[in-house]
Amino acid sequence: MKRIPLIKPFITGDVKDKVGEVLDSGYLTEGPVTREFEKEFERYTGCCRALAMTSCTTGLEVALRAVGVGQGDEVIIPDYTYPATGHVVGLVGARAVIVDVSRESMLIEYDQIEEAIGRRTKAILPVSLFGNPLDYQRLSEIRDKYGVHVIEDAACSIGAEFRGTKVGNLADISVFSLHPRKFITTGEGGMVTTNNAGWADWMLSYKHFGMGVHDSRLTASFEQPGTNYKLSDILAAVGLVQMKHIDDLLSKRCLLARRYVEYLQDNPQVIIPETTPQGVHSYQSFCLFVENRNQIMQELRAQGIEAQIGTYSLHMHKAFKNNPNCKIVGDMVGSRYAYDHCMALPLYHDLTADDQEYVVDTLSRCLL
Ligand SMILES: Cc1ncc(COP(=O)(O)O)c(C=O)c1O
């Protein structure tokens, strides 16, 4: 039987060579290779400053702290997301206000953000889920109207665009994940991007034990409380080499996604989620909606195809429901629909046309 995984990391000879180089150099902590990796993110996204972190989760926490979110503040987040989006709000002592997502796109409902904004709202934390960019025009209007910060959970969306600008250069701060489900992966890791030099310096200091920063460089003094969220050069080496291949990786993903759409769009049992108008999806995951999702997923797995649920509805989980530090707003119909119906299909750089046809044929049979 065929075995088709959900994802496959891009680990080639040049990735292994670069890791070997770092190991031979003896410089194993965060250093010149991580710097180069950050520069590559700046070049690619067009943002002024990129800072490597140990994960997207730690990056989001640092980003919230950088804009001053803390005790007594509220942060608006979408219900349909990976739980890390909600956890980080509690970690900095603030209250998560959880609103619904669009049933069509699974992205945060912009009208509901406006309804949920109150005098304690300090930031909104929308998610460009699965590589689908947000409507940053709408988010900027909300930011300007209410004076809140837009911190983007861009865990899944390296390579996505809105009106010709890359994600990472569209929100006040964007935070990417480098977990192996993402196509640029360092095993564990994250990257924060911003055009605000003050926040970037603050984050640089915080992730380096609170060291002083002068001219965007660390000084040998300790100026504020801080922690250690540095990314080792060993891990950065993997991401740096992958970044050199990003255009090729991305065009392969988009081609495969387009083929999935062509194969499946006329199947009345399948609904393809909407991409944000004027946006370019980077397809970290290729997702669709089907009835009886769990059963279909089991049948696909029995045929060697590793299908997966999309992500989670926070309000259904103990960490968020009945939590006095979380406020759940609305009926969550969009989020519940996604939680019950969304399914991700295998998508990776060298998924062959034969294997993709096998996925689609097997799925079509399961749906009969
Ligand atoms: C939307 C979203 N936010 C945050 C995270 C957490 O990322 P990390 O594992 O890098 O902390 C993930 C991980 O999959 C995610 O999908």
Side-chain angles (χ1 to χ4, degrees):
M1 186 175 57
K2 275 185 188 285
R3 290 251 162 246
I4 305 182
L6 184 66
I7 48 111
K8 226 194 250 179
F10 178 76
I11 303 296
T12 47
D14 51 350
V15 172
K16 292 178 191 168
D17 289 347
K18 188 72 190 171
V19 171
E21 242 178 64
V22 174
L23 293 174
D24 289 343
S25 79
Y27 200 104
L28 306 187
T29 182
E30 181 172 307
V33 181
T34 306
R35 261 330 61 73
E36 220 183 314
F37 185 33
E38 290 170 337
K39 289 281 160 242
E40 196 54 36
F41 250 81
E42 288 167 9
R43 187 198 59 75
Y44 183 74
T45 60
C47 80
C48 295
R49 298 280 292 278
L51 292 113
M53 298 282 166
T54 49
S55 67
C56 175
T57 308
T58 52
L60 286 168
E61 180 209 325
V62 177
L64 289 174
R65 291 191 194 282
V67 302
V69 175
Q71 205 89 40
D73 295 328
E74 290 184 350
V75 177
I76 298 173
I77 65 168
D79 190 56
Y80 190 62
T81 183
Y82 194 69
T85 318
H87 288 326
V88 292
V89 179
L91 275 176
V92 302
R95 188 180 198 211
V97 177
I98 307 176
V99 302
D100 204 1
V101 298
S102 146
R103 184 176 153 141
E104 284 72 35
S105 70
M106 297 180 279
L107 300 180
I108 195 163
E109 282 280 15
Y110 305 100
D111 288 345
Q112 291 204 13
I113 297 178
E114 290 207 60
E115 282 162 28
I117 286 179
R119 65 188 172 82
R120 291 182 182 278
T121 312
K122 188 85 172 242
I124 51 183
L125 177 38
V127 182
S128 36
L129 199 64
F130 306 133
N132 190 6
L134 293 150
D135 180 342
Y136 300 88
Q137 173 67 35
R138 187 75 201 275
L139 289 170
S140 302
E141 284 162 12
I142 294 173
R143 178 191 53 203
D144 296 344
K145 185 166 168 193
Y146 300 97
V148 294
H149 301 297
V150 180
I151 311 294
E152 176 187 13
D153 181 339
C156 313
S157 47
I158 181 71
E161 292 176 24
F162 179 71
R163 296 186 182 166
T165 301
K166 294 272 187 214
V167 167
N169 194 15
L170 288 155
D172 291 333
I173 304 182
S174 299
V175 188
F176 299 93
S177 173
L178 301 167
H179 174 274
R181 245 196 98 170
K182 320 303 184 250
F183 72 98
I184 301 292
T185 175
T186 56
E188 295 289 349
M191 190 68 76
V192 176
T193 59
T194 184
N195 288 318
N196 183 309
W199 291 336
D201 284 351
W202 190 93
M203 292 190 279
L204 180 65
S205 166
Y206 188 78
K207 65 167 273 200
H208 281 94
F209 312 104
M211 290 172 84
V213 175
H214 183 68
D215 280 343
S216 306
R217 286 172 182 273
L218 295 163
T219 62
S221 61
F222 293 87
E223 316 256 324
Q224 62 167 358
T227 186
N228 176 358
Y229 287 161
K230 289 180 286 168
L231 186 76
S232 154
D233 267 16
I234 306 171
L235 299 181
V238 180
L240 175 64
V241 176
Q242 289 172 348
M243 282 300 282
K244 312 263 182 217
H245 297 274
I246 190 166
D247 290 336
D248 187 35
L249 289 172
L250 203 56
S251 63
K252 283 183 176 144
R253 300 183 78 77
C254 291
L255 176 75
L256 289 163
R258 270 201 304 277
R259 267 207 231 131
Y260 268 137
V261 173
E262 278 161 25
Y263 284 131
L264 294 167
Q265 67 189 350
D266 295 329
N267 187 326
Q269 318 272 23
V270 171
I271 298 174
I272 313 269
E274 281 179 5
T275 297
T276 296
Q278 302 180 69
V280 176
H281 203 306
S282 63
Y283 292 105
Q284 182 250 278
S285 298
F286 182 83
C287 289
L288 39 76
F289 300 128
V290 285
E291 293 296 327
N292 301 320
R293 191 266 324 267
N294 290 350
Q295 191 194 322
I296 303 286
M297 220 163 60
Q298 261 181 11
E299 288 174 23
L300 288 174
R301 286 179 181 179
Q303 301 297 317
I305 297 166
E306 193 194 357
Q308 184 57 278
I309 67 161
T311 190
Y312 299 90
S313 280
L314 302 191
H315 79 280
M316 306 280 292
H317 292 266
K318 199 171 153 195
F320 302 97
K321 69 176 170 191
N322 307 324
N323 176 342
N325 216 25
C326 293
K327 185 172 158 194
I328 293 164
V329 181
D331 51 15
M332 303 301 177
V333 283
S335 176
R336 273 312 299 271
Y337 179 77
Y339 194 37
D340 292 340
H341 296 85
C342 180
M343 181 169 76
L345 295 179
L347 184 63
Y348 44 88
H349 59 281
D350 61 356
L351 179 67
T352 64
D354 275 0
D355 283 354
Q356 193 176 23
E357 269 177 44
Y358 175 71
V359 173
V360 171
D361 291 346
T362 312
L363 174 63
S364 305
R365 273 200 309 278
C366 294
L367 289 168
L368 283 177

